[in-house]
Amino acid sequence: MEPLLVIKNLHARVEGKAILDGIELTVNAGEVHAVMGPNGSGKSTLAYVLSGREGYEVTEGEVIFDGKDLLAMAPEERARAGIFLAFQYPIEIPGVSTSVFLKSAVNALRRQRGESELDAMEFLKQAKEKLSALKMDQKFLSRAVNVGFSGGEKKRSEIFQMAMLEPKLAILDETDSGLDIDALKIVAEGINALRGPEKAALMITHYQRLLDYVVPDKVHVLAQGRIVKTGGKELALELEENGYAAFNAASKDAA
Amino acid sequence: MTVPARRGASDVHEATCKAYLDRFATMRAELPGAGLPWLDAWRARAIERFAEHGFPGPRLEEWRFTNLSKLAETVFEPFPSAANGISREDLGGYRLEDGSDHLLVFVNGRLRPDLSSPGAPGDGITVTGLSRALEDDAEAVEESLIGAGDLTGEERAGAERAGEERSASLGQLNAAFMVDGAVIRVAANAQPERPVHLIFLAHPNKEPAGMHLRNIIHAGEGAKLTVIESYAGLADGPYWTNAVTHVTAEKGAAIQHFKFQAEGAGAFHIAVTDVDLHQDASYTNFVMSLGGILARNEIRARYTGEGVHCALKGVSLARGRQHVDTTTSVDHLMASGVTDETYKGIVDDRARSVFRGKIRVAPGAQKTNAYQLNQNLLLSDRAQADSKPELEIFADDVKCGHGSTVGDIDAEALFYLRARGLEERDARTLLIEAFLGQLIDDIEIAPVRAMARKAFTGWLAGLGG
Ligand SMILES: Nc1ncnc2c1ncn2[C@@H]1O[C@H](COP(=O)(O)OP(=O)(O)OP(=O)(O)O)[C@@H](O)[C@H]1O
Ligand SMILES: [Mg+2]
C-alpha cells in the first residue's frame, strides 16, 4: 500500500533564512510518529510547511500526501484533503464564534467528501458529544475562537476541533505542552480515539510523557532542519535520559 | 508670443459658483415659500455667503482630507426635472421588511405624494414635505430653521465664525436652493410605535441633478421617535445630494435616527445633520454608508441640557475609488452628558475612508462621559484610512477617551481559518464580520437591523477574490 505521507528532500526558508535542510520522512496510514528535537530545530516550520502557511518558502523537495502533490495545494485544500494542524500557539480570533467557524469548516470538509452538510441541530449534537468526551464545557462553542482561553484550554480546543474534523493526518505541534496531568490523559484519549487503519498522526513533542499514553510507532529526531535519527518508542526514553547533546544542537544557536 | 488660456481649477470653481448665482437669480421668485419675507431674506443671505466663500477647499481643517474639486467642476441643476417613471413597485427593495406607517418618498429632491403614505395625523405625529409645510405652517418652519447651525447668528468670535461659515458653505447653497425635504413633528409625550421612513431616490435625467434637501425632525418633551433615511440612486451617472437635517429632541425625548446611504456609483452625497439635545434627551444616530463616489456625513450635536445621552454609530463601506468621510462634532455644553461614539470603516481597492471626530467639553460640563472609537480595516494595499480624533476638554471632572486603529486582515487568523478548511473568501468574510462586531447586532429595531444586515451582506458579496 502507498504511504499516506512522503516527504522527500524538503528544504524550506523563512524570511530568507534556510530552516529545513532536506527532510526525509514517510508515514504510513495507521501509524503514529513522534517528532522530537531541540528548540529552534524546525519542527513547527515543518508543520507549517505541511499545512501551507504563507511565508514558508519551499526551495527544494516534494511532499506527496495521499497520492497528491501537497505543496501545490492551498491551505484549505490541504485541510479538506485531510490534513489537520493543531497549532503550538493557537491564536485568539475575537468576534468569530467557535461554533460558527467550526460548523462552516466541518461542512466544507463534508462537501469535499461528498457527504451532506450538517444543519445547526446535527452540528450541535455532534459537537456536544465530542466536547463531553473531552470533558470540555459546552460554553466553548459560543465563545469566540480561543479568546480568553487558558493555555490548556486552547490546546484542548485544538483537539476538539480535530475530533470534529476527523483528519487523515493530524499534525500535533506540542499539543501536550502546558497541559496538566488530567488534561494530558484526556487529550491523549482524544488522539487515540482518532487512530485507525486509514489515519495517521505526526506528534511534535518535547516530552516522553505524552508517548506513554499515545504510543508511537516511530520516533524521529529533528535537528538543524534534518531528521538525524529515527527509532522506535524507546528512542524517546533515550532522549529523555541523554538530551540532544549527541546531535550537536548547540551549534544551531551559535550560528 | 501668445499663451494659450489655461483654466485653472479655481477658475472652474468660480465659474460653477457664478452659474449657481445666476440660477438663483432666475429662480428665486419660484422657490417654495417665495414671498415670505423672512425666508426671502434668509435665502438671499445664504447665497451671498456662498458667493463669498465658494466651495470649501482643502486648506480648511474641516475639509483637509476630503477634496471637493470634482464636485465643484460641475454645475448640478438645482431644480432637476421630475422622474415620472417610478412606481410603488420600484420601492420594494428600499422598504422596511414590515413596511412603515409613515413613508415619504422623494424623487429627484421632491416629495412624491403618489408614492408616499405619511399616515393620518392623530397619534401625535405629523409627517409632511417641506414645501407643503411652508404653505401650511411657515412659522414653525421658520422657528426650526433660524438659528440652525449653518447660518447661526450666535455671538461667536468673528474669525471662528467666518471659518465655520466657510466650511459650511454647502449648507448655505442648500439654504438658498432648498426645495423639499421631510418635516416630522412629534407632540410632547407622543410615542408613535412605528418608524418614519424617508426614501430619497435619485433618478437623474440627462443633466447632472443637484438635490438640496432640508429635513426637520422635532420630538417634543418626552416624545419618542424612530426615523430612517434611505438614499438610493437609480443611475450611475453624476448627481449631487446635498442634505441638511435639523434634529431637535426636547426634554426627555428619545430619537433613534438611522441612515442608509446607497447613492448611485457616480453620486456625491454631502449631508449635515444638526442635532440639538435638551435635558435628559437621548439620541442614537446610525449611518451605513456604501454608495456614491464621494460621501460625507457630518453630524453636529449640541447638548444644551444636562443628562443627555447620545450614541453615534456608523459603518463606512468603501471600494473602487470611493471616498467616505465621517465628520462628527459633539459639544457638551451642559453637565452629565454621555457620548458613545463608534465608527468603523472597511476599505477595499483604492478607496479611502476619513474620520474626523471632535468632542468638546465646555467649562462647567462636569460629569461628562465621552468615548470615541474609530477603527478601520483595509482590505487592499492601496486602500487608505485617515482618522483624526480631537478632544477639547475644558472641565476637570470628566471621563473622556478615544481610540483609533487602522489595520489589515490578520494574516495569522486568516491562515488559522483556512487551515481548518474554510475557503479564503469565507474566512475573510468571517474576519470582516468580526471586525464589524456588534454595530449591526446592537440595532434594537428588528426591521432596521435586518435592513442593515442585508446591506452589509450585499456589500460583502461584492468583495473581489
Ligand atoms: N517567521 C520567522 N521569521 C524568522 N525566523 C523564523 C520564523 N519562524 C521560525 N523562524 C526560525 O526558524 C527556526 C525554527 O523554528 P521552529 O519554530 O520551526 O522551531 P521548533 O523546532 O518548532 O522549536 P520549538 O521547540 O521551540 O517550538 C528558529 O530558529 C526560528 O527562529
Ligand atoms: Mg515549535
Side-chain angles (χ1 to χ4, degrees):
Chain A
M1 205 183 73
E2 225 177 276
L4 183 62
L5 177 74
V6 182
I7 303 176
K8 284 188 206 153
N9 189 32
L10 184 65
H11 288 70
R13 288 203 299 222
V14 185
E15 301 200 346
K17 184 177 157 198
I19 310 285
L20 300 185
D21 185 26
I23 302 262
E24 302 275 349
L25 184 67
T26 298
V27 180
N28 292 305
E31 293 178 350
V32 170
H33 290 215
V35 176
M36 305 182 79
N39 293 133
S41 58
K43 302 182 297 296
S44 292
T45 302
L46 175 62
Y48 286 141
V49 167
L50 293 179
S51 49
R53 187 175 188 145
E54 235 174 79
Y56 289 71
E57 187 199 349
V58 174
T59 50
E60 230 185 301
E62 61 173 345
V63 179
I64 305 298
F65 175 70
D66 213 7
K68 290 180 287 258
D69 176 4
L70 188 72
L71 300 178
M73 296 157 80
E76 57 270 31
E77 292 171 329
R78 301 181 194 203
R80 290 180 204 168
I83 298 251
F84 178 92
L85 168 63
F87 287 77
Q88 183 175 0
Y89 305 109
I91 59 157
E92 303 191 1
I93 312 182
V96 175
S97 106
T98 305
S99 66
V100 167
F101 131 71
L102 198 53
K103 178 164 166 279
S104 103
V106 166
N107 281 332
L109 258 86
R110 292 181 67 93
R111 277 198 301 275
Q112 174 86 7
R113 298 190 210 127
E115 298 167 6
S116 67
E117 294 191 19
L118 297 183
D119 65 26
M121 294 296 287
E122 293 163 331
F123 170 79
L124 210 63
K125 186 165 166 286
Q126 277 201 16
K128 285 181 174 174
E129 281 169 18
K130 311 266 182 190
L131 280 171
S132 60
L134 290 164
K135 303 207 167 49
M136 286 170 71
D137 201 311
Q138 303 196 344
K139 69 171 191 286
F140 271 103
L141 279 176
S142 53
R143 287 170 66 177
V145 180
N146 292 325
V147 175
F149 290 16
S150 75
E153 284 172 337
K154 284 179 186 165
K155 297 299 177 83
R156 271 201 257 187
S157 165
E158 295 288 286
I159 295 302
F160 163 59
Q161 293 179 35
M162 180 182 81
M164 290 299 293
L165 297 169
E166 300 181 333
K168 281 191 191 142
L169 175 70
I171 304 165
L172 305 159
D173 193 354
E174 296 197 28
T175 303
D176 53 337
S177 301
L179 290 180
D180 63 44
I181 301 285
D182 296 336
L184 182 75
K185 283 187 196 162
I186 292 165
V187 163
E189 276 167 33
I191 300 169
N192 283 326
L194 232 65
R195 291 182 82 156
E198 274 143 37
K199 296 179 186 300
L202 209 55
M203 292 192 304
I204 297 168
T205 182
H206 285 295
Y207 307 105
Q208 156 63 27
R209 221 176 44 174
L210 174 67
L211 307 182
D212 286 340
Y213 301 106
V214 186
V215 181
D217 298 289
K218 282 189 180 158
V219 175
H220 308 276
V221 178
L222 201 162
Q224 299 175 52
R226 290 164 176 258
I227 305 281
V228 292
K229 184 160 185 175
T230 296
K233 60 178 191 282
E234 64 291 343
L235 177 56
L237 289 166
E238 206 177 292
L239 293 168
E240 188 105 324
E241 197 80 353
N242 304 324
Y244 296 108
F247 307 106
N248 197 16
S251 71
K252 177 91 180 169
D253 291 330
Chain B
M1 198 176 82
T2 52
V3 181
R6 255 191 87 236
R7 277 156 58 92
S10 62
D11 298 334
V12 176
H13 296 179
E14 238 167 75
T16 307
C17 287
K18 171 120 192 349
Y20 284 132
L21 300 190
D22 291 348
R23 201 76 188 93
F24 182 76
T26 55
M27 292 303 298
R28 59 190 308 171
E30 288 162 57
L31 286 162
L36 292 165
W38 67 268
L39 185 57
D40 288 346
W42 194 66
R43 288 193 194 268
R45 205 164 56 234
I47 198 76
E48 255 170 49
R49 288 186 182 165
F50 175 74
E52 183 187 337
H53 300 307
F55 289 89
R59 270 190 300 265
L60 289 169
E61 180 54 34
E62 291 235 321
W63 290 91
R64 218 174 84 200
F65 300 112
T66 297
N67 190 324
L68 290 179
S69 60
K70 280 272 181 296
L71 177 82
E73 268 169 23
T74 308
V75 180
F76 292 91
E77 170 52 43
F79 309 100
S81 45
N84 294 316
I86 294 168
S87 67
R88 271 174 190 267
E89 287 75 66
D90 298 318
L91 300 176
Y94 308 110
R95 298 286 310 265
L96 286 177
E97 243 169 29
D98 62 346
S100 162
D101 290 353
H102 311 282
L103 172 70
L104 291 190
V105 178
F106 297 81
V107 177
N108 288 354
R110 281 171 206 260
L111 180 66
R112 282 278 298 268
D114 57 318
L115 302 176
S116 304
S117 41
D123 49 354
I125 176 170
T126 57
V127 179
T128 48
L130 178 70
S131 283
R132 177 74 191 275
L134 281 168
E135 287 167 23
D136 293 352
D137 191 358
E139 242 171 74
V141 176
E142 178 181 6
E143 207 181 299
S144 298
L145 295 185
I146 302 298
D150 54 340
L151 286 170
T152 172
E154 283 168 36
E155 330 67 53
R156 253 167 300 160
E160 187 188 347
R161 212 180 96 190
E164 280 182 24
E165 272 181 20
R166 209 169 299 136
S167 69
S169 67
L170 299 184
Q172 287 145 10
L173 195 65
N174 172 294
F177 285 130
M178 64 179 194
V179 172
D180 222 337
V183 179
I184 303 164
R185 296 187 191 279
V186 186
N189 299 314
Q191 309 201 335
E193 218 173 285
R194 308 293 306 273
V196 176
H197 193 188
L198 312 174
I199 299 179
F200 301 95
L201 289 181
H203 189 39
N205 298 319
K206 282 140 284 171
E207 90 261 324
M211 275 73 86
H212 300 276
L213 297 159
R214 175 107 20 183
N215 303 307
I216 296 169
I217 299 169
H218 187 275
E221 252 187 64
K224 215 171 163 176
L225 170 69
T226 300
V227 182
I228 303 137
E229 297 174 60
S230 296
Y231 293 83
L234 301 178
D236 289 342
Y239 66 89
W240 177 20
T241 297
N242 186 26
V244 177
T245 301
H246 303 274
V247 178
T248 308
E250 302 282 3
K251 185 176 171 188
I255 300 177
Q256 296 212 45
H257 190 178
F258 301 90
K259 171 168 149 182
F260 294 93
Q261 188 277 102
E263 302 275 20
F268 295 86
H269 179 96
I270 309 278
V272 176
T273 303
D274 216 83
V275 187
D276 258 312
L277 300 173
H278 295 256
Q279 189 187 326
D280 297 322
S282 95
Y283 178 71
T284 299
N285 184 300
F286 174 95
V287 177
M288 183 174 263
S289 184
L290 37 74
I293 185 68
L294 185 156
R296 168 145 153 148
N297 192 63
E298 181 174 348
I299 299 173
R300 300 195 291 239
R302 273 177 309 277
Y303 304 175
T304 53
E306 294 190 355
V308 164
H309 195 289
C310 177
L312 304 178
K313 310 272 156 162
V315 185
S316 296
L317 305 171
R319 60 164 57 114
R321 288 177 167 269
Q322 285 180 301
H323 179 109
V324 186
D325 174 331
T326 301
T327 294
T328 65
S329 156
V330 176
D331 213 348
H332 285 257
L333 296 168
M334 303 292 280
S336 307
V338 176
T339 301
D340 166 17
E341 195 172 344
T342 305
Y343 287 91
K344 298 201 181 188
I346 304 176
V347 195
D348 201 358
D349 304 325
R350 303 180 69 172
R352 182 174 179 193
S353 99
V354 167
F355 173 80
R356 298 175 39 86
K358 184 170 175 177
I359 294 178
R360 186 175 167 274
V361 181
Q366 302 295 9
K367 306 283 178 206
T368 286
N369 190 339
Y371 188 73
Q372 179 191 79
L373 179 66
N374 173 238
Q375 294 183 307
N376 294 284
L377 180 65
L378 305 182
L379 300 181
S380 105
D381 292 345
R382 300 171 89 174
Q384 191 185 340
D386 301 279
S387 183
K388 189 160 187 290
E390 211 179 316
L391 264 52
E392 290 180 4
I393 300 167
F394 302 105
D396 48 14
D397 184 14
V398 300
K399 274 192 203 135
C400 287
H402 67 84
S404 135
T405 61
V406 178
D408 306 332
I409 291 238
D410 181 349
E412 269 194 79
L414 191 63
F415 174 65
Y416 188 95
L417 297 175
R418 292 177 71 191
R420 296 295 179 252
L422 265 68
E423 207 61 71
E424 178 171 6
R425 190 191 169 85
D426 296 340
R428 284 169 74 90
T429 302
L430 270 186
L431 295 173
I432 294 169
E433 284 180 339
F435 168 80
L436 190 67
Q438 297 297 306
L439 271 177
I440 290 178
D441 298 340
D442 281 348
I443 297 174
E444 290 163 20
I445 301 161
V448 180
R449 190 169 60 241
M451 188 177 253
R453 173 104 353 247
K454 190 173 141 205
F456 182 58
T457 312
W459 189 84
L460 284 178
L463 278 182

